[in-house]
Amino acid sequence: MVNDTNYMIEKIIHCFKIEGECTGLEKYGNGHINDTYLVTMNESDNITRYILQRINHTVFQEPEKLMENIVKVTTFIKNEVKKTAGDSKREVLTVINTNTGGSVYKDTLGQYWRMYLFIEDSICLEKVSRPEDFYESAVAFGRFQKQLASFDASGLYETIKDFHNTPARFEKFLQAVGTDSFKRVGEVTQEISFFIDREEDMKICLKALEDGEIPLRVTHNDTKLNNVMLDKSTGKGLCVIDLDTVMPGLAVFDFGDSIRFGANTAAEDEGDLSKVHLDLNLFETYVEGFLTGCDGSLTREEMSLLSYGAKTMTLECGMRFLTDYLEGDVYFKTQRDRHNLDRCRTQIALVQDMEKKWTKMEQIVNRRKQ
Ligand code: ADP
Ligand code: GN1
Ligand code: MG
């Protein structure tokens, strides 16, 4: 290992119950929240790979409780996988314990670390290039929800309060506008107005929950394409990862967040907004895959709100990016100036395109409802 950081991380690796010599260590993945490393261990020529993550404990304030959730959820899913004679090392995350038997290691700097088995022979996509892959990701996220249908949610800790409470996000956004700590409001007045004009849309799905029209379920809540692994040889949806936000939530939001990211014809941070569109074919593909994965468990009322799920998640995420921009880029990892603003603008462009295509989106969903 060549530098101090790697030296430090190697020491951390050995706080987990794994065998052998560390022969590889590299930064890994494109998540916006945690720091992820791929670790290769060699024991008598047997290579085993692991994912080591520093949990962002500004975002997740109680990492021990968060890991308790993940242990509960993965243990439950492992049993479900075994019932279907599946591969319990590849179809669900495996948490590696620390030497003292816990699931999280706190280092001397107060940083929190966890380790998973690396899911071998799988791929993780940042962008849809083949509709079949998007379909398979949809099946996997739908199946994830179905697998957890009988899971007791009462023992789950809320890892981020009001995570998909879009009206509460709207209030925080207005506060950030009001405070304007970084004097950035002046350059984003159009973007601010865009969200204010759509305040009512943001309430629709949660109102349906409050009115008892749709159920509260255990959901993933961060269903980006790069949070699901596909089998490298069969292309099938294999394993849902990034379980930090598994909490009670709305199925239509799990559906919607996938559309927001995967059915966008451009990257989430594309600077050229003329490239940003909702791909209706991908929208339809995802509807089909998600309903297949949920396997009959979605109610007709939930199906009726799928398009709103997509619009709400896109509005919410755009508003979160803008809030972070106004607050000085403290939440999402950024790689350039105005990165969060670029991300906010793609979400706005995507919502605008959804509004143009709304009738078609609804027709697609209605066809599938029959
Ligand atoms: P973040 O919360 O920062 O998004 P993730 O848990 O999603 O972190 O991990 C970041 C990336 O690391 C994923 O998009 C995926 O590419 C990869 N990854 C995470 N866990 C595993 C795993 N167990 N096996 C293989 N790849 C993984
Ligand atoms: C974050 O962790 P990651 O990169 O999968 C964020 C999501 C956002 C997403 C936007 C815990 O997801 O809510 O939708 O960025 N996760 C958290 O890309 O805030
Ligand atoms: Mg992720």
Side-chain angles (χ1 to χ4, degrees):
M1 296 293 145
V2 287
N3 59 38
D4 282 347
T5 309
N6 280 6
Y7 173 73
M8 173 199 76
I9 291 175
E10 235 194 292
K11 276 179 45 185
I12 285 160
I13 290 168
H14 288 290
C15 297
F16 287 86
K17 263 190 200 141
I18 56 174
E19 307 290 337
E21 182 197 349
C22 176
T23 53
L25 176 60
E26 58 188 90
K27 272 255 187 202
Y28 200 75
N30 290 305
H32 291 342
I33 303 295
N34 297 305
D35 292 318
T36 302
Y37 293 87
L38 172 62
V39 175
T40 307
M41 300 298 290
N42 183 336
E43 200 214 359
S44 318
D45 287 340
N46 280 328
I47 303 287
T48 312
R49 298 199 291 173
Y50 300 90
I51 286 287
L52 175 73
Q53 282 182 324
R54 178 176 18 226
I55 303 172
N56 181 329
H57 75 271
T58 313
V59 168
F60 299 108
Q61 293 179 356
E62 297 186 280
E64 282 101 351
K65 288 194 184 163
L66 172 135
M67 285 310 291
E68 276 173 33
N69 276 7
I70 293 184
V71 168
K72 282 182 194 159
V73 167
T74 52
T75 307
F76 188 90
I77 298 179
K78 254 186 215 301
N79 278 326
E80 297 294 301
V81 169
K82 280 180 189 152
K83 281 185 204 160
T84 59
D87 180 346
S88 62
K89 284 195 171 159
R90 292 176 69 239
E91 292 177 29
V92 55
L93 283 174
T94 301
V95 175
I96 305 294
N97 275 349
T98 64
N99 289 329
T100 53
S103 55
V104 61
Y105 173 72
K106 187 177 181 185
D107 69 17
T108 49
L109 299 173
Q111 309 182 106
Y112 293 85
W113 299 85
R114 67 170 165 220
M115 194 180 261
Y116 295 121
L117 261 190
F118 184 78
I119 306 200
E120 295 290 353
D121 302 315
S122 66
I123 50 170
C124 178
L125 300 171
E126 295 298 326
K127 189 179 179 329
V128 176
S129 47
R130 303 183 327 143
E132 305 89 281
D133 292 336
F134 199 41
Y135 177 85
E136 288 302 333
S137 75
V139 175
F141 280 123
R143 188 175 55 218
F144 178 81
Q145 201 170 282
K146 169 133 177 126
Q147 280 170 330
L148 290 175
S150 61
F151 176 83
D152 176 15
S154 64
L156 277 186
Y157 150 77
E158 196 178 8
T159 58
I160 299 180
K161 197 168 160 359
D162 287 334
F163 190 59
H164 282 321
N165 183 342
T166 316
R169 295 272 186 194
F170 181 73
E171 292 307 319
K172 282 191 187 148
F173 158 69
L174 289 185
Q175 275 167 25
V177 172
T179 310
D180 193 16
S181 313
F182 285 75
K183 300 285 163 262
R184 291 177 171 177
V185 161
E187 69 174 305
V188 294
T189 51
Q190 280 184 8
E191 287 79 3
I192 293 170
S193 303
F194 183 87
F195 294 115
I196 292 178
D197 290 346
R198 285 158 184 80
E199 183 186 356
E200 291 311 309
D201 283 342
M202 299 184 201
K203 298 178 183 164
I204 289 172
C205 297
L206 284 181
K207 172 86 172 44
L209 174 72
E210 264 167 40
D211 294 347
E213 288 165 12
I214 56 171
L216 191 65
R217 299 181 184 272
V218 180
T219 49
H220 183 278
N221 296 307
D222 189 2
T223 52
K224 267 160 79 165
L225 184 64
N226 65 10
N227 285 333
V228 60
M229 312 301 294
L230 307 181
D231 187 292
K232 202 189 248 170
S233 48
T234 65
K236 296 274 178 214
L238 184 63
C239 178
V240 167
I241 61 167
D242 203 346
L243 305 179
D244 295 330
T245 51
V246 175
M247 288 182 280
L250 299 190
V252 298
F253 286 169
D254 270 8
F255 169 86
D257 200 41
S258 293
I259 297 300
R260 175 193 77 72
F261 190 85
N264 181 355
T265 50
E268 190 183 64
D269 59 356
E270 174 60 56
D272 177 357
L273 295 180
S274 69
K275 293 185 179 163
V276 177
H277 298 286
L278 175 78
D279 182 327
L280 280 173
N281 291 326
L282 287 181
F283 180 79
E284 181 153 21
T285 299
Y286 200 91
V287 172
E288 256 178 66
F290 193 68
L291 294 185
T292 302
C294 288
D295 192 19
S297 60
L298 282 201
T299 64
R300 287 184 73 75
E301 288 72 20
E302 285 176 303
M303 286 188 228
S304 307
L305 284 171
L306 288 177
S307 303
Y308 268 110
K311 186 173 183 183
T312 312
M313 285 299 94
T314 313
L315 281 169
E316 181 187 282
C317 203
M319 210 165 55
R320 290 174 64 196
F321 289 141
L322 187 53
T323 304
D324 199 28
Y325 182 66
L326 294 174
E327 291 179 341
D329 305 306
V330 287
Y331 186 92
F332 297 103
K333 286 186 192 169
T334 52
Q335 280 85 38
R336 56 177 190 255
D337 276 356
R338 295 189 169 74
H339 203 164
N340 274 317
L341 182 54
D342 287 344
R343 290 170 175 151
C344 160
R345 287 178 171 153
T346 64
Q347 305 306 290
I348 289 180
L350 190 59
V351 171
Q352 284 169 328
D353 202 44
M354 286 179 186
E355 288 173 348
K356 279 191 208 137
K357 293 175 175 161
W358 195 254
T359 311
K360 290 200 172 126
M361 288 166 72
E362 291 289 70
Q363 280 167 356
I364 290 169
V365 173
N366 284 332
R367 269 207 301 278
R368 297 287 151 195
K369 245 167 59 181
Q370 308 310 320

